Amino acid sequence: MAAGGPALAAGPATPVISLSADYLSGAVDATGDPTVTVTVSQSGTDASKLKVTAASSSEPGVAGTGDVSVSGSGTTRRVTVAAHGVGYTDLKLKVTGSGGKTATRTLHYAASAKVQHTADTRYFTGSSDASAAVDAGDGYVIVADDESNVLRLYDRNASGGPVKTWDFSSELGVSKEMDMEAAARVGDTIYWTGSMGNNKSGKFKPDRSTLFTTTVTGSGARTQLSLAGSYKGLRADLVAWDQDHDDRYGFAAGTADGQVPKQIDGFNVEGLEFAPGSTTTAYIGFRAPLVPPKKGGKALLVPVTNIDKVVTGKHATFGTPVELDLGGLSIRDIRKNAANQYLIVAGSWAAEDNSAPYTLYSWDGVAGHAPVKLQSLPTDDVGGWEAVVDVPDLRTPGARAQLITDCGSADLYGDGTEAKDLDHDEWKKSRATWFTVTPKTGR
C-alpha cells in the first residue's frame, strides 16, 4: 500500500468463552443432571449471533459431542451432558463468531453409573459424604458432611452444588473434623452432633464429641444460620450414666482407647430426634452398640431429657432407654413430623456403603411400641442410606420421603478412587432419592 493510502479495516475480534465451572459430574440416564453456564462475547458482534457447540470429546464412550446440548441465546448459554458410559471425558466447547473466528474451553466431565429410581433421583454435588439433613422449607435442605465441618444448603429438587455454605469451626474452637452424623430441628433451632465415637484408628478425638446448635432465619434459598450454643461433654455424660447403671450398654468399653467405633459392641451415634411432643427431650440414636451386642440385637435410643440446657453447658440428664427391634439393624437416621410420626433409616453397624441391608421403618415414638417395616431400601447402587430429610403425613396414601446417601467410600467413576478422595469438589456427590413410603389407593 502506498504511503498515506487508506488503512485496511481491522478484522473481527476473537470471541471470548468462559464456564461457570471447569468440572462437571453426571450419571448415565439421569434426570436433571447438573449443568454448566457458558458465557460468550465478541467485540462488535451481537451475542445472539454467536454459536456454541461441542467440538470434541476425549472419550466418546462416556459422552460424545452429540450428547452435549446447548440452550439459551445471548451472552449466557446452558450446557447439559447426557452420559451413556461410566468414566471421564474432556469436552471441548467452542464459540464461533463473526468472520469465522473461534475460541474454545475444556469442560472436564465425569459420569457415574445408572441407578434405580432415576426419575426420582437428584445429586447434591460439592461433597460426597452426606451424613445428616434438615428441611429448610420451600424445597431446600441443609446437609451435614461427616468428612468436613461444612453445612450446605441445596435445592431438593435440582441436581447441582450448594446454594450456600456455613462452617462454624472457628467459632466452635474445633480444628479437626467433628464427624457430624445427626441433626434435629425444633422451631428455629437445629441441633447438630458428631458421632462421639473414636476415630477409625480407635483414638479419642474431642472434636467428634461436639454438640452444637444453629439458629435459623429465613427459609428456602434465603435460609441463614448463626451459631448458638455448644457442648463437648455429652459423650462423657453418656459413659458416666451407663457406668452408674452397671455398664448395661458397655459405653466405657466402647469408648476405650483402641476401640474402633463401628463394631457391634462399639460406640457410635448416627441419629438425633425429639421425643413426641417435646422440645427438651431428644433421642440419641446409636449405630453401635446393638443390644445385646450380637446378631439379631436391638437398636438403641437414649433420651437426653434436658438437651436445651446441655447446649448451654449443663451436664446431660437421661431418661429410660428405648430398645427397638429393627431386624438386627441399627439406627442410621431418625426423623419425625409435627404429628409425631417417625421414620427410621435402619442399617448395619458395620456397613460403609451398600454391602448390607437397609430398611425403612415407621414408629410412633412411644417406648414399648414396635416399629413397622415399610420397605427394604435398594442396595444395588453405590452409597449407604444416611439421612431422611423430613417425614410426610404417613396417613396419606402415596406419601413420599426423600432419603440421601453417603457416597464417600464409593468408586463413582470406575477408576478405583473413593469419592471422598476425588480431586475436584464438582465430581464429589451424594445421591438423594424420593421413595413412596405409604401404599397408594385406587388403580
Side-chain angles (χ1 to χ4, degrees), residues 31 115-122 375 378 381 385 432-435:
T31 299
V115 299
Q116 301 175 68
H117 307 285
T118 55
D120 295 317
T121 294
R122 300 294 182 267
Q375 60 184 277
D381 304 315
W385 298 106
T433 302
W434 291 91
F435 292 95

Side-chain angles (χ1 to χ4, degrees), residues 156-382:
R156 295 175 62 175
N157 298 301
S159 294
V163 176
K164 294 178 182 177
T165 63
W166 300 269
D167 187 343
F168 297 108
S169 297
S170 295
E171 293 174 75
L172 288 166
V174 302
S175 58
K176 304 294 183 181
E177 70 176 51
M178 291 185 285
D179 193 27
M180 290 186 288
E181 288 287 0
R185 180 171 182 170
V186 56
D188 293 329
T189 300
I190 304 176
Y191 290 73
W192 308 89
T193 183
S195 68
M196 300 190 222
N198 294 341
N199 68 7
K200 62 184 178 182
S201 299
K203 300 297 183 183
F204 171 58
K205 300 294 182 180
D207 291 349
R208 296 164 70 94
S209 296
T210 303
L211 171 72
F212 69 99
T213 55
T214 53
T215 300
V216 183
T217 54
S219 64
R222 301 177 304 280
T223 297
Q224 293 291 347
L225 299 180
S226 58
L227 183 65
S230 65
Y231 184 63
K232 291 187 178 181
L234 186 53
R235 164 174 151 145
D237 290 346
L238 282 161
V239 172
W241 166 80
D242 191 46
Q243 288 178 316
D244 287 342
H245 292 79
D246 301 320
D247 289 314
R248 179 176 178 182
Y249 298 116
F251 287 171
T255 57
D257 186 51
Q259 175 68 49
V260 177
K262 295 172 186 177
Q263 300 291 327
I264 199 167
D265 59 351
F267 184 94
N268 198 76
V269 169
E270 290 211 0
L272 180 67
E273 185 53 279
F274 283 85
S278 180
T279 61
T280 59
T281 295
Y283 291 130
I284 301 293
F286 285 82
R287 176 173 176 169
L290 284 182
V291 183
K294 64 181 182 180
K295 184 177 180 180
K298 293 182 178 180
L300 176 64
L301 296 172
V302 175
V304 180
T305 58
N306 65 334
I307 199 165
D308 57 323
K309 299 295 190 297
V310 168
V311 291
T312 68
K314 304 292 185 182
H315 285 290
T317 56
F318 302 98
T320 302
V322 180
E323 299 173 8
L324 299 177
D325 184 355
L326 301 180
L329 301 177
S330 57
I331 304 289
R332 302 301 289 270
D333 198 19
I334 180 171
R335 182 68 66 241
K336 81 176 184 75
N337 60 21
N340 297 314
Q341 300 168 334
Y342 290 72
L343 287 178
I344 298 172
V345 179
S348 169
W349 53 267
E352 291 289 351
D353 46 35
N354 58 354
S355 60
Y358 287 84
T359 304
L360 189 65
Y361 285 85
S362 65
W363 184 46
D364 63 6
V366 178
H369 290 192
V372 176
K373 180 178 178 178
L374 297 179
Q375 60 184 277
S376 297
L377 297 171
T379 57
D380 294 333
D381 304 315
V382 297

